[in-house]
C-alpha cells in the first residue's frame, strides 16, 4: 500500500489525488490536508462569487474525495500542527499543493497606507475566507484604483461596480454585499504598465464589463495600436483587444447614463501612493513606452485620485519550515516537481501563479508519474494509521469530508434568497456546524 500525503485541497491537490487513484487504485491511501475545515481552496475563496459555473468543478473533486482511498483531513496546518519532517516520516511521498496565497507586494512609497489592499486579501474578503473576513475596506470614497492587467483585476473592478441585484445567484458573503451596497464609488481605474497588446485578460471576463447595469468601460483610442497590428496576435488575445476597441468606441452619452466609469489606463506605472493622515489619497503614475515587450519609464508623471487602491500584481507561495524556497520566484525550489527525496510540489506551489484551474490537471498527473518512478514498490511507511496516532496524541481536531458535507448543508440552509449558500466566515462556526 502506497501512502501519499497531499498538502492543500484546492484544484492542484484534488487533481493530484485523482491521478493517484487512477495510477494505483486500491493500492494507495491518499490523505489530503488543509489548514481550513473546508476543502477546495481557490474554488471556494478565490474564484469570483458571480462565476458559479467555474465553481462547479468542485463536484468533480467530490467524486475523488468520497470513498476509502482518498481522505480529507481538514483543520490541520502543516508547519504548525504537524511538521514537514513528521509528515515525511509517515508517508511514502509528501506533495505540496499549497498554491500561492500571499500577495506579491507593490514596493513603492505609500504602499503600506490604510486602504491599500492586496487582491488576495480583497478577494478573500468578499469570498468569506476566515483570514480576511474582518478586512472591512472603506468604500465610502469616490475613486478606486486597481493595479494590474489580468483577470483578477477585472474581477475586482467588476465586483466593485455591480448593483446588489446583479449579485443574484452568486455566493458573495453578506458582509461584503452590505459594504458594496453602501459604496459611493464613481470611478474604477485599472492601471497597466504596458499596452493593450500585453494584457493578460481573457475575452469572457472582458466581455462581462459590457453587461454591467451601472458601469461603463472606457478606453482611450490613442492607447490602441494600429488595427493592422492585431493580426500578429494569437486568437484569444485578438478577441480581447477587439473588445478594448469596442470599449473605446462606446458613445459618450452611454457613459453619462451609467454612474460608474471603469477606466483602462495603459502605459501607466505606479511610482508612489499619496498619503494623508495615514490613508491613500492618490497614485502617482509614470508614463511608459513598451520596448521589446518591456515597460520603460519616460520620466513624465501624473496623479490619479484614489480613495482605495487594490493591487492585483501576482501571488507568492507561503514558505514552510524545512522546505527549500525560491525567494525570487515566490515558490518552492523544485526540479519538475521534485524538491527533496520523498518531497514534491504541484500547481502554483511548483510553477508560480500561472495558468487556469484546468492547467493543474496535467500537472497533477505528471507529479504522480514522478512519484511512482521514485518510490517504486519498496518498503512502505505507516501512512494514515501513523498520522491518526499522532493526531490522537496531540488531540488535533480533524475535520473529515463527511463533516464538510454537514457544514455545506448548514451553509445552504442559511442562504439568502437567490444565493446558493451563505458561507461561514470563521473557523469556529465551521467546526460547530459539523455537529448540527
Amino acid at each position: 500500500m502506497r501512502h501519499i500525503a497531499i498538502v492543500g485541497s484546492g484544484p492542484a491537490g484534488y487533481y493530484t489525488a485523482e491521478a493517484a487513484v487512477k495510477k494505483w487504485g486500491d493500492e494507495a491511501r491518499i490523505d489530503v490536508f488543509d489548514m481550513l475545515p473546508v476543502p477546495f481552496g481557490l474554488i471556494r475563496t478565490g474564484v469570483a462569487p458571480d462565476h458559479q459555473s467555474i465553481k462547479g468543478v468542485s463536484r468533480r473533486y467530490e467524486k475523488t474525495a468520497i470513498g476509502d482511498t482518498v481522505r480529507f483531513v481538514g483543520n490541520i496546518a502543516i508547519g504548525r500542527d504537524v511538521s514537514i519532517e513528521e509528515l515525511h516520516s509517515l508517508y511514502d511521498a509528501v506533495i505540496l499543493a499549497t498554491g500561492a496565497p500571499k500577495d506579491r507586494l507593490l514596493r513603492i512609497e505609500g504602499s503600506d497606507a490604510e486602504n491599500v489592499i492586496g487582491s488576495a486579501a480583497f478577494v478573500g474578503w468578499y469570498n468569506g475566507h476566515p483570514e480576511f473576513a474582518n478586512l472591512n475596506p472603506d468604500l465610502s470614497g469616490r475613486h478606486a484604483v486597481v493595479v494590474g492587467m489580468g483577470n483578477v483585476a477585472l474581477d475586482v473592478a467588476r465586483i466593485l461596480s455591480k448593483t446588489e441585484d446583479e449579485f443574484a445567484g452568486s455566493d458573495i458573503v453578506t458582509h461584503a454585499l452590505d459594504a458594496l451596497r453602501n459604496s459611493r464609488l464613481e470611478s474604477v481605474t485599472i492601471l497597466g504598465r504596458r499596452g493593450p497588446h500585453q494584457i493578460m485578460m481573457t475575452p469572457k471576463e472582458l466581455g462581462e464589463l459590457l453587461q454591467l447595469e451601472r458601469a461603463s468601460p472606457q478606453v482611450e483610442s490613442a492607447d490602441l495600436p494600429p488595427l493592422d497590428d492585431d493580426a500578429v496576435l494569437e486568437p484569444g488575445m485578438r478577441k480581447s483587444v477587439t473588445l478594448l476597441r469596442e470599449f473605446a468606441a462606446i458613445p459618450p452619452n452611454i457613459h453619462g447614463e451609467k454612474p460608474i466609469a471603469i477606466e483602462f489606463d495603459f502605459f501607466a506605472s505606479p511610482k508612489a501612493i499619496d498619503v494623508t493622515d495615514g490613508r491613500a489619497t492618490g497614485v502617482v503614475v509614470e508614463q511608459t513606452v513598451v520596448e521589446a515587450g518591456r515597460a520603460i519609464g519616460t520620466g513624465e508623471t501624473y496623479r490619479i485620485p484614489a480613495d482605495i487602491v487594490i493591487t492585483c500584481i501576482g501571488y507568492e507561495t507561503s514558505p514552510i519550515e524545512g522546505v527549500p524556497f525560491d525567494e525570487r520566484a515566490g515558490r518552492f525550489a523544485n526540479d519538475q516537481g521534485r524538491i527533496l527525496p520523498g518531497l514534491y510540489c504541484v500547481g502554483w506551489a511548483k510553477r508560480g501563479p500561472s495558468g487556469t484551474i484546468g492547467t493543474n490537471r496535467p500537472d497533477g498527473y505528471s507529479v504522480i508519474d514522478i512519484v511512482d518512478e521514485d518510490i517504486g514498490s519498496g518498503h512502505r511507511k505507516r501512512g494514515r494509521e501513523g498520522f491518526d496516532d499522532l493526531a490522537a496524541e496531540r488531540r488535533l481536531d480533524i475535520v473529515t469530508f463527511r463533516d464538510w458535507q454537514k457544514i455545506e448543508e448548514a451553509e445552504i440552509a442559511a442562504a439568502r434568497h437567490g444565493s446558493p449558500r451563505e458561507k461561514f466566515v470563521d473557523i469556529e462556526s465551521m467546526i460547530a456546524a459539523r455537529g448540527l
Side-chain angles (χ1 to χ4, degrees):
M1 187 68 68
R2 294 162 178 81
H3 298 287
I4 309 297
I6 298 173
V7 183
S9 69
Y14 269 112
Y15 280 127
T16 303
E18 175 187 281
V21 172
K22 291 195 174 183
K23 173 70 73 174
W24 299 308
D26 290 338
E27 295 179 357
R29 289 293 179 267
I30 302 109
D31 284 352
V32 180
F33 293 85
D34 202 293
M35 65 184 297
L36 293 179
V38 294
F40 307 141
L42 275 183
I43 299 300
R44 179 179 171 92
T45 60
V47 173
D50 55 351
H51 284 175
Q52 288 297 303
S53 61
I54 298 175
K55 289 176 180 277
V57 73
S58 63
R59 300 305 170 199
R60 173 176 181 151
Y61 306 151
E62 285 183 356
K63 294 178 182 178
T64 300
I66 296 171
D68 295 330
T69 304
V70 177
R71 179 177 72 159
F72 175 66
V73 188
N75 199 39
I76 300 296
I78 305 304
R80 181 193 68 194
D81 299 319
V82 180
S83 71
I84 280 288
E85 291 79 7
E86 288 169 327
L87 214 58
H88 187 252
S89 72
L90 294 171
Y91 292 86
D92 299 306
V94 177
I95 304 171
L96 302 179
T98 53
K102 290 173 52 182
D103 279 303
R104 184 166 291 156
L105 298 179
L106 180 64
R107 300 183 185 277
I108 61 174
E109 183 181 351
S111 61
D112 57 349
E114 186 178 345
N115 243 26
V116 179
I117 304 169
S119 57
F122 192 75
V123 171
W125 168 72
Y126 63 62
N127 266 324
H129 192 297
E131 185 177 350
F132 305 113
N134 296 321
L135 184 67
N136 196 27
D138 185 356
L139 303 178
S140 63
R142 293 187 300 159
H143 305 291
V145 170
V146 179
V147 182
M149 280 284 171
N151 280 347
V152 176
L154 281 180
D155 285 345
V156 168
R158 188 181 67 255
I159 295 297
L160 285 172
S161 304
K162 277 195 165 187
T163 65
E164 182 175 1
D165 288 346
E166 287 177 288
F167 285 110
S170 80
D171 63 352
I172 189 169
V173 292
T174 295
H175 67 240
L177 189 60
D178 290 343
L180 291 164
R181 181 189 302 119
N182 296 316
S183 166
R184 297 180 181 178
L185 288 176
E186 297 175 3
S187 71
V188 180
T189 301
I190 303 176
L191 283 185
R193 292 183 301 112
R194 299 184 293 171
H197 276 192
Q198 290 81 38
I199 62 170
M200 302 298 289
M201 298 168 172
T202 51
K204 178 181 180 297
E205 281 66 26
L206 270 171
E208 289 180 272
L209 299 187
L210 291 170
Q211 310 303 320
L212 296 174
E213 292 181 9
R214 65 174 180 176
S216 176
Q218 301 180 13
V219 170
E220 291 288 339
S221 296
D223 284 339
L224 294 166
L227 182 60
D228 290 346
D229 291 359
D230 292 357
V232 302
L233 301 175
E234 59 88 20
M237 175 67 82
R238 196 180 309 131
K239 289 180 181 178
S240 292
V241 176
T242 298
L243 282 164
L244 294 178
R245 295 187 186 279
E246 285 187 37
F247 298 169
I250 293 175
N253 64 306
I254 299 297
H255 300 322
E257 295 173 3
K258 296 189 175 184
I260 298 177
I262 300 177
E263 302 167 346
F264 287 79
D265 196 352
F266 294 106
F267 308 106
S269 177
K271 304 312 272 183
I273 294 173
D274 286 343
V275 181
T276 302
D277 297 329
R279 293 182 55 82
T281 57
V283 180
V284 178
V285 174
E286 181 181 19
Q287 289 185 336
T288 67
V289 294
V290 175
E291 297 179 1
R294 296 184 60 193
I296 308 297
T298 64
E300 297 182 29
T301 62
Y302 57 97
R303 182 183 184 277
I304 300 173
D307 301 296
I308 183 170
V309 179
I310 301 166
T311 62
C312 308
I313 57 174
Y315 303 107
E316 297 179 345
T317 297
S318 297
I320 299 176
E321 186 175 351
V323 181
F325 194 77
D326 184 340
E327 294 284 352
R328 184 174 180 179
R331 54 176 170 76
F332 296 120
N334 72 94
D335 179 10
Q336 297 184 321
R338 289 186 177 95
I339 302 175
L340 294 169
L343 182 61
Y344 308 83
C345 57
V346 69
W348 284 8
K350 167 193 169 186
R351 65 181 191 272
S354 62
T356 64
I357 290 170
T359 308
N360 294 292
R361 185 178 185 275
D363 215 16
Y365 278 72
S366 173
V367 80
I368 287 300
D369 285 341
I370 291 171
V371 170
D372 186 54
E373 177 185 331
D374 288 353
I375 67 176
S377 57
H379 176 70
R380 300 291 171 223
K381 299 180 181 179
R382 293 187 67 203
R384 186 175 296 178
E385 177 187 354
F387 175 79
D388 288 347
D389 288 345
L390 179 64
E393 178 186 328
R394 294 184 181 172
R395 298 183 179 179
L396 301 178
D397 189 5
I398 295 173
V399 175
T400 68
F401 200 81
R402 287 183 182 276
D403 292 332
W404 150 243
Q405 290 175 314
K406 294 177 182 178
I407 295 169
E408 185 178 38
E409 287 176 9
E411 289 185 338
I412 292 171
R416 63 183 177 274
H417 179 70
S419 175
R421 68 187 60 78
E422 181 62 44
K423 295 176 187 172
F424 293 110
V425 298
D426 63 90
I427 289 173
E428 293 77 12
S429 297
M430 293 174 183
I431 293 174
R434 67 182 174 176
L436 298 178

